């Protein structure tokens, strides 16, 4: 929760900051450094088996046996904090070809969050939990997705976000297709899975139904004016 709050503050500062930093950039780095440190410390605890005392620093875990380590966030959550923290610290870093590595890090967090949400939607714990460790919470995944999206939208004129935000036909098509890819396709898969589990059809027909439904949906979005 503390990490999420500071990432939200960092995003708020970033939204009002011109590229290059200045005084606002210092606040962004300070706010992003806290969740980055929390993530690194937690990964260190998992890797080396130690206890830095941060897991129950503010609150005691009422059920210490419900998770692999009392009060400790999941490894996926810690990785997401590290990646997003690094994203904010390197927000304006550019390669010689004009690419933004920070956007790739934020996109990786978004992928982690989407995988966790799909795991909860489809009832597949392997997508949001590493065996033997604490799982990423259901409410944590959408928060990471929102923070990643907010970070990417904070610099719409740079990196691959420039193509998405473009007023040209390519940008218009990207903005139309992305919601369908991120929301409607997983929902279609869930509906087809429910029919399969209800015994209405077998696995092969379910796969064909998902593919056919996706083809129809994307075709309509591409052709609709």
């Amino acid at each position: 929760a503390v990490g999420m709050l500071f990432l939200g503050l960092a995003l708020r500062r970033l939204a009002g900051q011109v590229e290059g930093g200045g005084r606002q950039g210092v606040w962004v780095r300070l706010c992003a450094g806290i969740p980055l440190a929390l993530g690194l410390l937690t990964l260190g605890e998992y890797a080396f088996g130690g206890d830095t005392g941060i897991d129950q620093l503010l609150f005691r875990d009422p059920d210490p046996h419900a998770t692999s380590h009392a009060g400790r966030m999941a490894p996926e959550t810690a990785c997401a904090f590290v990646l997003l923290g690094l994203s904010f610290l390197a927000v304006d870093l550019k390669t010689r070809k004009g690419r933004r590595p920070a956007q790739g890090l934020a996109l990786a967090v978004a992928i982690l969050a989407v995988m966790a949400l799909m795991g909860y939607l489809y009832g597949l714990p392997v997508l949001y939990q590493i065996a033997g460790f604490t799982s990423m919470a259901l409410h944590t995944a959408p928060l990471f997705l929102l923070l990643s999206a907010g970070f990417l939208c904070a610099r719409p004129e740079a990196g691959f976000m420039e193509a998405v935000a473009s007023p040209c036909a390519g940008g218009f098509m990207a903005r139309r297709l992305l919601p369908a890819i991120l929301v409607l396709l997983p929902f279609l898969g869930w509906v087809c899975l429910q029919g399969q589990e209800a015994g209405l059809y077998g696995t092969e027909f379910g796969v064909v139904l998902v593919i056919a439904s996706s083809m129809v949906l994307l075709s309509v979005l591409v052709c609709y004016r």
Side-chain angles (χ1 to χ4, degrees), residues 10-212:
L11 183 59
R12 178 64 184 88
R13 292 287 183 175
L14 186 64
Q17 171 197 325
V18 296
E19 185 170 342
R23 187 175 180 181
Q24 289 283 67
V26 175
W27 281 106
V28 169
R29 289 190 288 272
L30 286 175
C31 291
I34 293 175
L36 173 61
L38 289 174
L40 288 174
L41 285 173
T42 302
L43 290 177
E45 288 179 329
Y46 279 120
F48 303 108
D51 186 0
T52 60
I54 63 171
D55 300 323
Q56 301 191 84
L57 181 63
L58 298 179
F59 303 99
R60 304 295 297 180
D61 195 330
D63 188 5
H65 302 292
T67 58
S68 61
H69 299 83
R72 187 174 299 178
M73 71 179 80
E76 303 96 316
T77 303
C79 286
F81 274 132
V82 171
L83 292 174
L84 267 183
L86 292 174
S87 298
F88 279 97
L89 293 179
V91 59
D92 294 321
L93 179 65
K94 292 188 291 186
T95 65
R96 292 182 178 179
K97 294 184 178 180
R99 296 173 181 171
R100 303 276 181 140
Q103 290 184 346
L105 296 176
L107 189 60
V109 174
I111 293 172
L112 279 175
V114 169
M115 292 293 289
L117 286 173
M118 291 182 66
Y120 280 106
L121 181 64
Y122 295 148
L124 296 173
V126 69
L127 294 179
Y128 58 82
Q129 180 182 22
I130 299 175
F133 295 98
T134 307
S135 60
M136 180 183 287
L138 176 59
H139 57 276
T140 302
L143 285 176
F144 275 130
L145 187 58
L146 288 173
L147 285 168
S148 301
F151 176 85
L152 293 173
C153 292
R155 290 290 186 270
E157 75 289 345
F160 65 80
M161 285 301 296
E162 184 179 4
V164 177
S166 170
C168 300
F172 174 77
M173 187 58 64
R175 292 190 295 274
R176 172 180 285 187
L177 292 178
L178 281 175
I181 293 172
L182 296 175
V183 179
L184 294 182
L185 292 186
F187 177 73
L188 281 176
W190 177 80
V191 171
C192 294
L193 183 62
Q194 296 306 303
Q196 181 179 327
E197 291 180 347
L200 300 179
Y201 42 79
T203 303
E204 294 81 2
F205 184 83
V207 172
V208 173
L209 187 59
V210 171
I211 295 174

